[in-house]
Amino acid sequence: MEHEEIIGLMMDALDGELSAAGEAELVAHLRARPDLAAEFGRMQAVDRLLRETPAVTPPPGFVQRTVRRLPAATRRHLWMGVFVYALFMAAGLIPLVGLGWAAVQLVPALGQPAMWAGLWQAVLALLNAAGVILRALVSGAGELVAEQPQLIGWLLLMALVVVVWGGVVNRLVFQQERT
């Protein structure tokens, strides 16, 4: 079972939502892994502390005093908010209007076979252009590697550095979770 799933069982146990089978499974994991048992003990202590701590009520007039301290909104701020809201709304409506217009224009053309033939030719032309571009990129990359072999070495070195530091960070993060 994954660490996150065991933590989920612990949370359910703290909330009193764990079934009998889940509780048996949690107890088995806690017996097998003392580090998880210690972590569950700390979680229970925090839960107990939070449940036993009395709720703090704010003093009378706290809300009114806090609201009075807030800067008052000026007419300029209010109009600026309205303008920004209207701008965002227009920015969202413009594409919808454009799509509606395009749909109205294209619906009659969709029933014509000539439109489909033209669309098919355009798709084939785009695929042909993409193939030409891809071949040119591969050819250019091959020539670059042939002329500059040290480039491959630098790329491999950078990849190695990323992998090594990724492992170091991963180990540090997981080591802190275990302690």
Side-chain angles (χ1 to χ4, degrees), residues 58-72:
F62 173 77
V63 173
Q64 290 80 11
R65 286 192 311 272
T66 304
V67 169
R68 269 185 279 151
R69 289 182 185 170
L70 294 174

Side-chain angles (χ1 to χ4, degrees), residues 81-179:
V82 168
F83 174 73
V84 168
Y85 179 76
L87 184 67
F88 283 145
M89 184 177 280
L93 289 177
I94 289 172
L96 290 176
V97 170
L99 285 174
W101 177 82
V104 167
Q105 298 297 319
L106 289 177
V107 165
L110 289 177
Q112 299 176 3
M115 196 276 307
W116 289 107
L119 183 63
W120 181 246
Q121 287 176 348
V123 167
L124 289 176
L126 282 174
L127 288 175
N128 187 26
V132 168
I133 292 170
L134 187 61
R135 280 192 298 275
L137 286 173
V138 169
S139 173
E143 290 175 14
L144 180 67
V145 169
E147 294 172 5
Q148 305 288 332
Q150 69 271 18
L151 184 65
I152 296 295
W154 279 107
L155 290 174
L156 290 174
L157 183 65
M158 286 192 300
L160 180 66
V161 167
V162 167
V163 168
V164 168
W165 279 108
V168 168
V169 169
N170 215 359
R171 180 168 258 183
L172 288 174
V173 168
F174 285 125
Q175 187 176 9
Q176 285 179 348
E177 285 181 1
R178 290 184 190 139
T179 58

Side-chain angles (χ1 to χ4, degrees), residues 1 5 27-28 30 40 50 54 68 77 95 98 101 109 117 134 142 154 160 172:
M1 179 175 270
E5 294 175 22
V27 168
L30 294 178
F40 187 55
L50 290 174
R68 269 185 279 151
H77 287 118
W101 177 82
L134 187 61
W154 279 107
L160 180 66
L172 288 174

